[in-house]
Amino acid sequence: MSSVSLPRAQHIVASGVIAAVGIWVAWVSYTQQPAEAFLFPRLISTVFVVLALWTFAKALLGWTKVGNGVSRRDFVWLLPGLIIALIYIFWAAKALGFYTAGTITFFLLLSFYDPAPHGEIKTWTRRVIITIGYLAVMYGLFAMLLKVYTPREIFF
């Protein structure tokens, strides 16, 4: 792999990790019970795995334009979002429930990456309204439109 450029190697590793996560999510969705509760996750995870494996294969074969890769500065900028996402995945979703944890996570990510000033009430009000809109869309999509189960833990 020494002849592979750093940006291409980053793309291979990242797409490989995403493909592995996709396979794990698909496996979980196909092995959990009750089966009807996992119908929608099976559909989405199957599409996700196909696209992830396609991207990984393109990266391995060198068919992807990879640009300059992720710089140290970019990685440091993305790190808080990755930490928030990992907390959501491995703790908050189970401990707080899908809607509660998803809403808190969305608000934190929006607040962290929103370039609007953090010292103004107007921008915080807008963030809260956007977050409420996110919650309404998620509830409407899963509970009302698709009529699928969502993880039901402490609150929802």
Side-chain angles (χ1 to χ4, degrees):
M1 194 153 187
S2 61
S3 64
V4 176
S5 68
L6 181 60
R8 182 165 171 232
Q10 287 179 347
H11 189 70
I12 291 169
V13 170
S15 62
V17 168
I18 290 170
V21 169
I23 291 168
W24 175 69
V25 168
W27 179 80
V28 168
S29 72
Y30 277 93
T31 58
Q32 297 298 309
Q33 294 297 325
E36 55 277 350
F38 290 90
L39 182 60
F40 183 69
R42 286 178 185 161
L43 173 70
I44 296 299
S45 65
T46 301
V47 171
F48 182 80
V49 165
V50 168
L51 293 174
L53 289 173
W54 178 28
T55 302
F56 182 57
K58 284 177 57 177
L60 283 175
L61 296 171
W63 295 351
T64 306
K65 295 180 184 174
V66 294
N68 296 326
V70 179
S71 69
R72 181 180 191 91
R73 188 180 127 255
D74 290 341
F75 182 75
V76 169
W77 186 73
L78 292 171
L79 192 58
L82 291 172
I83 291 169
I84 291 169
L86 290 172
I87 290 170
Y88 171 78
I89 291 167
F90 292 108
W91 178 77
K94 187 163 187 92
L96 302 176
F98 175 75
Y99 294 114
T100 304
T103 301
I104 292 168
T105 301
F106 182 85
F107 182 75
L108 289 173
L109 290 172
L110 178 62
S111 298
F112 188 79
Y113 289 111
D114 183 5
H118 286 80
E120 297 177 9
I121 295 292
K122 183 173 99 175
T123 59
W124 285 105
T125 304
R126 185 172 57 228
R127 289 182 187 111
V128 168
I129 290 169
I130 291 169
T131 302
I132 290 169
Y134 161 81
L135 175 60
V137 168
M138 288 293 100
Y139 182 77
L141 177 67
F142 289 109
M144 301 178 85
L145 181 65
L146 296 172
K147 297 190 185 322
V148 295
Y149 295 97
T150 54
R152 302 212 191 288
E153 302 297 337
I154 292 176
F155 296 116
F156 296 100

